[in-house]
Every structure is written in C-alpha cells, then in structure tokens.
Amino acid sequence: MSTIALPKAAHGARPLPREFYLEPTLTVARRLLGQIVVRTLPTGERLSGIIVETEGYLVGDPACHSYRGKTPRNASMFGPPGHAYVYLSYGMHQMLNLVCQDEGVAEAVLVRALEPLEGVETMRSLRGGITNSIQLTNGPGKLAAAIALTRQEDDGVDVTDPKSRLQIIPGQIVPDSEIVDSKRIGITQGADLPWRYYLRGNAYVSRK
DNA sequence: AAATCGATTTGCT
DNA sequence: GCAAATCGATTTC
C-alpha cells in the first residue's frame, strides 16, 4: 500500500530553492516525486502530502497551455520558476502545476497525485466526507480539492517562499528504479509522449 | 457571436 | 460504461 516512509523532519524544513525548477522540466517532473506539498490553511492548519505522480508540459508541446501563447489564464506559466500555476479544468476542477524554467519560457509540471501526510481528516471533509482514503488525492482535481486550492487564491503563489501558504519542501530522493514512465492522461494532442511519471507500486497514483 | 473542446470527477445505468 | 457539470480558450459561421 503506502510505499514511502513518512519524512520525519518535514516540519520547519525550508522549501526547495528556485534553482530546483531550472533543471530540464522533465527532470524536475521526476525529481518532484517524493517531495512534499505543504498547504497552510487560513486557520493555520497544515495539510501535506508526498508527490507520487507528475506530468511534464513543455514549450513546443501541443498539449501545453502555453502552446498558443500567453492568455490571462496561463500567464503564471510565463512568469518566474518556483511559482504555482493553478487553473480551472472542465469548468470545475482546479489543477496544480509548478512553473519551471526562466521567466518567458512557459513550461510546468502538473502534480497529479499525492500520498496524504498531515491533515487527513480535514482533507476528507474538503472532499465531501468520502470514506475511501485512497480516493482523497489520487487525481489532479481531487488533490487540489483536498488541500483547498483555487485559481483565484493560489494561482501565481511562490512555492519557494517559507511564508507562503503553498510550499514544496524536501522529502525523499527517489531512485530512478522506483519511477515509472508512461503516457500522459486525458489529453488529445501529444498523447503518445511518455512524460508522465509515478512512483512504482504507490497506492495513490491515479492510474497504473 | 455561437459552438465546441478540454491536463476531470462523479453519479447513474 | 457513459454522460453531465461548467468555465476559459479556440474554432467556426
């Protein structure tokens, strides 16, 4: 079931530095596996989870939102690295992306699934009280709902800032042997590109 | 200006 | 297994 150990020193850890997001975007997508999303609610409560599934979206990639240029929706993708790009999908689901590359190079990693760490009961209520813990965060729209992300509140947030309400902090280093490469999900353009990565055998991955 | 589609999830058949 | 829900961007008339 749960495949990774709970990082012990997660509390008080500094967020991953901005340089982390300057490696090639597909490298960042792989390295984000095992890192930790930390969400601080207005109440001060802390929700967190280990990233177990990601997808890369690159310049020149027809499936990437930046492919047809800058719009109000995708503007944060064109901004500096280490910020969140949160957008509304299908009119109802918020998607969490992390912007990579220098300002002007609009690439990002979509965070597709988390393994919950802290605040599980709060996540459960944010997800309509569902009882199945696996289904709390095993999909991009699900995880965004579970940690109360919205485009209005969280698009553009700096995830490298220790006082930010959304941060990515160091978790585990995951060896390549534990990472499965596969095709991205739910897209029509560039559907054959193997730019989806997930932790082998992890129960919280959206689809094996 | 109107219709269609999408990096999805949920509920009902 | 299929369709609805719903908003922003793209495509079409």
Side-chain angles (χ1 to χ4, degrees):
Chain A
M1 293 294 292
S2 183
T3 54
I4 10 191
L6 276 61
K8 203 53 181 169
H11 263 279
R14 305 272 313 170
L16 290 165
R18 201 168 308 286
E19 302 79 59
F20 180 88
Y21 303 93
L22 285 173
E23 294 293 318
T25 298
L26 297 180
T27 301
V28 178
R30 289 175 152 274
R31 291 190 184 167
L32 276 168
L33 296 175
Q35 312 309 324
I36 301 171
V37 175
V38 179
R39 164 67 158 180
T40 304
L41 295 177
T43 62
E45 185 180 4
R46 185 172 145 125
L47 309 178
S48 68
I50 303 168
I51 298 174
V52 300
E53 179 180 348
T54 61
E55 282 178 1
Y57 287 88
L58 276 55
V59 165
D61 164 16
C64 184
H65 284 177
S66 64
Y67 186 65
R68 293 165 212 286
K70 192 172 177 176
T71 67
R73 177 175 72 154
N74 67 20
S76 38
M77 271 186 96
F78 287 81
H83 287 250
Y85 165 41
V86 180
Y87 76 92
L88 189 60
S89 177
Y90 290 91
M92 35 177 22
H93 304 293
Q94 317 284 338
M95 302 279 140
L96 169 62
N97 301 258
L98 300 170
V99 177
C100 299
Q101 307 310 308
D102 277 315
E103 191 160 357
V105 182
E107 303 195 340
V109 173
L110 171 67
V111 179
R112 288 191 51 91
L114 298 178
E115 176 173 332
L117 277 184
E118 301 164 272
V120 176
E121 287 313 310
T122 299
M123 292 187 199
R124 197 183 307 284
S125 63
L126 285 166
R127 290 275 292 116
I130 62 169
T131 51
N132 184 336
S133 294
I134 296 294
Q135 293 180 18
L136 240 36
T137 53
N138 66 341
K142 296 177 185 179
L143 79 87
I147 61 176
L149 292 180
T150 63
R151 177 185 69 73
Q152 296 91 330
E153 292 286 319
D154 303 295
D155 183 42
V157 164
D158 186 352
V159 299
T160 70
D161 184 343
K163 31 183 212 312
S164 179
R165 60 180 173 272
L166 182 65
Q167 300 171 30
I168 311 299
I169 69 170
Q172 310 228 145
I173 305 297
V174 176
D176 276 353
S177 60
E178 292 305 307
I179 299 176
V180 179
D181 300 30
S182 63
K183 294 179 188 176
R184 296 179 294 181
I185 292 177
I187 57 174
T188 53
Q189 313 262 338
D192 288 333
L193 298 169
W195 292 347
R196 169 178 178 248
Y197 308 99
Y198 62 90
L199 292 184
R200 189 183 304 284
N202 187 281
Y204 294 87
V205 169
S206 67
R207 275 172 41 183
K208 67 160 193 176

